[in-house]
């Protein structure tokens, strides 16, 4: 599916698919792992249905607000297997105004989850961009390191859910 204007991150997470899905789709859980340190997630709104809201506010050191508070739109939900959302649209498929920084370019995230056996999850995140310039901007912002760190944090948080079950 990935094209030449997309960025891809693939990992095998050492956590069962049910717990990885729970960690990725529960707003209170998302706050615990979605931002690479020292950034933190302070707000999450998620309505898991096509047209629903996907909004995350990320705050960095010294309360630097990254501006990630613009609501995105959920495009597709396949329970336990796939979540697709975009920053290009707001809830109800309304076009979004692009802001500054990370919000200056729209992208769509296609995140898939598959049972990798032995209690592991095959995790794949694809960030689709409208052109190579946006892809390059996202890549230079640290896509691989940032999204890779977040995938590791997702794995660790999902593992912690099994100890609380």
């Amino acid at each position: 599916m990935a094209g030449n204007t997309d960025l891809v991150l693939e990992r095998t997470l050492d956590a069962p698919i049910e717990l990885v899905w729970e960690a990725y789709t529960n707003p209170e859980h998302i706050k615990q792992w979605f931002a690479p340190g020292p950034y933190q997630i302070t707000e999450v709104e998620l309505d898991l249905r096509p047209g629903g809201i996907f909004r995350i506010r990320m705050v960095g050191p010294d309360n630097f607000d990254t501006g990630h508070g613009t609501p995105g739109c959920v495009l597709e939900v396949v329970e336990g297997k796939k979540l697709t959302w975009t920053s290009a649209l707001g809830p109800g498929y309304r076009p979004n105004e692009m802001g500054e920084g990370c919000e200056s370019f729209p992208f769509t995230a296609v995140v898939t989850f598959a049972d990798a056996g032995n209690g592991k999850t095959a995790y794949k995140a694809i960030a689709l961009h409208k052109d190579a310039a946006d892809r390059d901007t996202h890549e230079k912002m640290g896509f691989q390191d940032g999204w890779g760190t977040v995938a590791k944090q997702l794995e660790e948080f999902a593992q912690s859910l099994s100890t609380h079950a």
Side-chain angles (χ1 to χ4, degrees):
M1 176 183 171
N4 63 355
T5 59
D6 305 331
L7 298 171
V8 180
L9 180 89
E10 293 184 83
R11 297 284 189 273
T12 299
L13 306 182
D14 190 12
I17 192 169
E18 308 82 34
L19 297 180
V20 173
W21 179 260
E22 170 68 19
Y24 206 101
T25 58
N26 180 313
E28 289 307 310
H29 294 340
I30 291 170
K31 289 179 183 178
Q32 306 302 313
W33 63 266
F34 199 85
Y39 290 88
Q40 297 180 346
I41 300 300
T42 58
E43 300 171 37
V44 177
E45 288 181 85
L46 178 58
D47 183 0
L48 277 180
R49 62 181 177 83
I53 190 170
F54 187 95
R55 186 181 75 81
I56 294 175
R57 179 168 294 285
M58 190 182 307
V59 176
D62 299 323
N63 288 325
F64 172 74
D65 191 332
T66 62
H68 290 295
T70 300
C73 184
V74 173
L75 300 174
E76 180 182 22
V77 180
V78 179
E79 185 73 27
K81 298 180 185 298
K82 184 178 185 182
L83 178 62
T84 305
W85 53 272
T86 187
S87 64
L89 300 171
Y93 306 106
R94 298 286 178 185
N96 259 345
E97 292 290 328
M98 292 294 103
E100 297 180 17
C102 298
E103 294 186 355
S104 63
F105 60 88
F107 72 94
T108 297
V110 179
V111 185
T112 58
F113 311 83
D115 188 340
N118 299 317
K120 297 180 188 285
T121 301
Y123 171 81
K124 184 175 186 178
I126 305 172
L128 292 80
H129 303 88
K130 74 177 185 319
D131 55 33
D134 284 358
R135 178 208 56 217
D136 293 349
T137 297
H138 201 177
E139 191 167 41
K140 288 175 187 161
M141 289 171 60
F143 173 84
Q144 289 296 329
D145 288 342
W147 285 47
T149 296
V150 167
K152 181 66 176 163
Q153 292 170 178
L154 169 60
E155 174 185 64
E156 291 167 355
F157 186 79
Q159 290 171 342
S160 80
L161 291 175
S162 69
T163 62
H164 294 95

